Amino acid sequence: MKIFCNRSQLQHAVQTVQKAVASKTPLPILTGIYLEAKNDKLELQATDYEIGISCTIDANIEQPGAIVLSGRYFQEMVRKLPGESIEISTSTEERTIKITAGNSQFNLLSLPAEEFPVLRQINSENPIIVKDYCLRELIKKTVFACANDEARPIFTGGLLEIKDQEIRLVATNTHRLALKKDSLESGSDQMKLIIPAKILSELARLLVGEDAQDVTLSWQKNQVGIAFDNVYIISRLIEGQFPDYNKVIPPSYTTTIEINTDEFLAAVERVSLLAKDGEYNVAKFNFTNDEVIITSNNPDVGKAYETVNATLSGNGLEIAFNAKYIIDILKNIDSENIIFSLNTELSPACITPDNDSNYTYIITPVRTN
Amino acid sequence: MGVKTGEVLWQAKQKCPGLVIVPPDFKKYLRFSRMAREIYADYTNQIEAFGIDENWLDVTGAEHISGDGEKIADTIRQRVKSELGVTVSVGVSWNKTFAKLGSDMKKPDAITVISENNFKQKVWPLPVGDLLYVGRATKQKFANRAIFTIGDLAKRNVRDLKLLLGVWGETLWQFANGFDNAPIRQLGEESIVKSVGNSTTTVRDLVNIEDVKLIIYVLAESVAVRLRSHGLKCTTVAISVRNNELISFERQGKISTPTFVSGDIAAKAMELFKANYTWDKPIRSLGVRGADLVTADRHIQLNLFKCDQSDRESLERTIDSLRERFGSYCIQRCAMMIDSNLTGFNPKNDHVIHPVAFTR
């Protein structure tokens, strides 16, 4: 193999695939980045069997071929190489790869390319096409609500659901639930996929192109393939039955409060400073006619008290929440005001932006004694 | 004849055809154990139970009333024999390890005195496996390093033992040298509960998952009751399994929210069992334990998908009070009726062995 390519393009490609390079693995080949050169294109791939990422860039190819390089060293090297053009060539007899840029030259030992599990793209009959900004928004507004603990694997992923020209992403850790909807331009079959939170976050990180573009999702059995721009991601899906989240969204509320988002967020953040009690950050919220009184009490540290103006309709209520769950959602709401809807002090409550009916956040209270 | 503890009856009969089998009467056993303790209480208030039929007594300071250790041991031995009609073996020493060792040296109805002057002759030639807390695994590790007797252990460099067994290596070395200075607990003093567990050796070997389920539910109920009585919840559930070749293992796992509900504990225990047992051998004994204890009255983050636990919690509390008033068998799970021979024991009352807090 012998190729010439642009340094910044190569760096972008390496950064793209880098998250899929396995760090802890019994299989050394998975610690490598796979490079394949053919038809004036250079394709980079990495996989840890959970997620696989491929990124293709233009290259001037003198001699096609495939190699695998140590992911760690290749990535650090490309970032620091001088000049604009990079030459990569192999010498088969020594099993090394020569990388030349400007006046610097590296010889990296190669890993056996034939051992690399090359990604196979998934071809499903009805792929979904969704705009990148729409998908990014879906992910950013929900993925934080996923569970971290592996004891309940089903909740470590987000449920991507498509139904009647509507796309939804739902994430929950059983104590809070975030749901974001959007409409699709083209209709599609119904489907439900549970995508690991790690992969969703990674996808949101990569979907930052300046021009709007289409993202194509195809799936089969327990895998999903995501294609956009020059990138292809393949991921394992979480298997199992996601519980019926519609059931936990209360159909109506007896109390609704409108509060300024930023003021409320700042107040909750301050009060939560003293709210550390065991593993919960319990803060109490007393909703009255024209204000919310937020308090926390930690016998070992002290007390906090703050009020925020609010407009209430319905009954006043005192309720305790894990302050972290409130802060998480307020940070993700862009509108000026939020609507906080409640029923009783022991039933789930709902927080939504006042201008976006497609975004719902359900939170369970804490039962205090 | 080669009959061993824990052997099944038919095997023992094969080894010893004329074997006389006396049926056990656990209640009687406990009653006599309690009565023996009443006798001990005449001599000291520092009585610490080790299992159900062994106790440590600290008689320091009682010499001018009742005589020295050997004298008191002999009085106790005679009184138990004449008042209760059973024999006891007593070890007299200046530390707990050697006292226990001495009680095992001469049986039955005997006294062994291990003093600071004679322990090197009496204790050091004994096999290292006789020392308290040297079990099968530790014994094997010692054997690999040519430590066969307690003396071998005592004479080893303590740093080598630390490398071999960690902190425990140093502790065992101290035991072997008679440096054990753990105090004997006062009567009625209870240690802080770290975990709550019950185990049982079943009346017959368990051969399928249904059997196991029954036993796990019985044990889990007892664990749950005891957690509730301490005002605690557990966040980790552990099971121990021993097969009919007496090979055992323990596995544990976390549960998402702290609980003292027997159903939750049993479900986790079953999950652990199913994930870890391959049924290559029938099971002789099972244990369920709740660990990582937290207080029960803390805040509870409610769950979206599960109904409020408080109903189930008050249900279990109601069952507790029913059982307190009308006896433990007044209310039972249906499954317990399937094989009442197997499940007809009450681990809470019959099998609670207050654990050995040796190193506190």
Side-chain angles (χ1 to χ4, degrees), chain B residues 22-35 86:
Chain B
V22 185
D25 185 340
F26 206 78
K27 279 216 177 92
K28 205 182 263 174
Y29 208 77
L30 285 175
R31 188 156 64 90
F32 273 76
S33 169
R34 205 166 44 239
M35 289 193 295
V86 294

Side-chain angles (χ1 to χ4, degrees), chain A residues 16 27 61 97 107 134 140 178 192 205 207-208 212 225 241 269 272 342 353:
Chain A
T16 303
L27 296 170
I61 292 164
I97 290 146
N107 276 288
C134 152
K140 277 176 67 184
K192 286 181 177 181
R205 189 183 71 95
L207 288 174
V208 286
Q241 185 68 41
E269 279 187 313
S272 82
L342 308 112

Side-chain angles (χ1 to χ4, degrees), chain B residues 258-305:
Chain B
T259 187
F260 55 47
V261 175
S262 57
D264 295 348
I265 296 170
K268 184 69 195 181
M270 281 305 285
E271 182 195 318
L272 286 166
F273 180 83
K274 282 181 187 160
N276 289 295
Y277 204 67
T278 50
W279 285 112
D280 46 345
K281 297 270 174 357
I283 292 166
R284 177 69 41 89
S285 144
L286 274 178
V288 173
R289 197 162 58 85
D292 287 337
L293 307 177
V294 295
T295 51
D297 58 353
R298 66 215 299 268
H299 302 311
I300 293 155
Q301 173 81 55
L302 302 180
N303 191 307
L304 282 168
F305 301 100

Side-chain angles (χ1 to χ4, degrees), chain A residues 118-134:
Chain A
V118 179
L119 304 180
R120 278 201 197 89
Q121 300 212 348
I122 294 170
N123 295 311
S124 62
E125 288 175 9
N126 286 316
I128 302 161
I129 310 218
V130 51
K131 288 283 177 226
D132 62 345
Y133 53 83
C134 152

Side-chain angles (χ1 to χ4, degrees), chain A residues 174-175 280 364-365 367 369, chain B residues 297-298 300-302 304 308:
Chain A
T174 74
H175 302 307
Y280 304 139
T364 58
R367 191 168 73 215
N369 294 295
Chain B
D297 58 353
R298 66 215 299 268
I300 293 155
Q301 173 81 55
L302 302 180
L304 282 168
D308 193 349

Side-chain angles (χ1 to χ4, degrees), chain A residues 164-181:
Chain A
D164 310 330
Q165 297 218 340
E166 192 175 67
I167 181 165
R168 297 169 163 216
L169 193 58
V170 188
T172 179
N173 68 353
T174 74
H175 302 307
R176 43 103 176 258
L177 178 144
L179 162 67
K180 173 82 181 149
K181 301 183 238 183

Side-chain angles (χ1 to χ4, degrees), chain A residues 341-356:
Chain A
S341 316
L342 308 112
N343 282 316
T344 70
E345 79 270 9
L346 287 178
S347 54
C350 173
I351 297 176
T352 52
D354 66 346
N355 62 356
D356 182 2

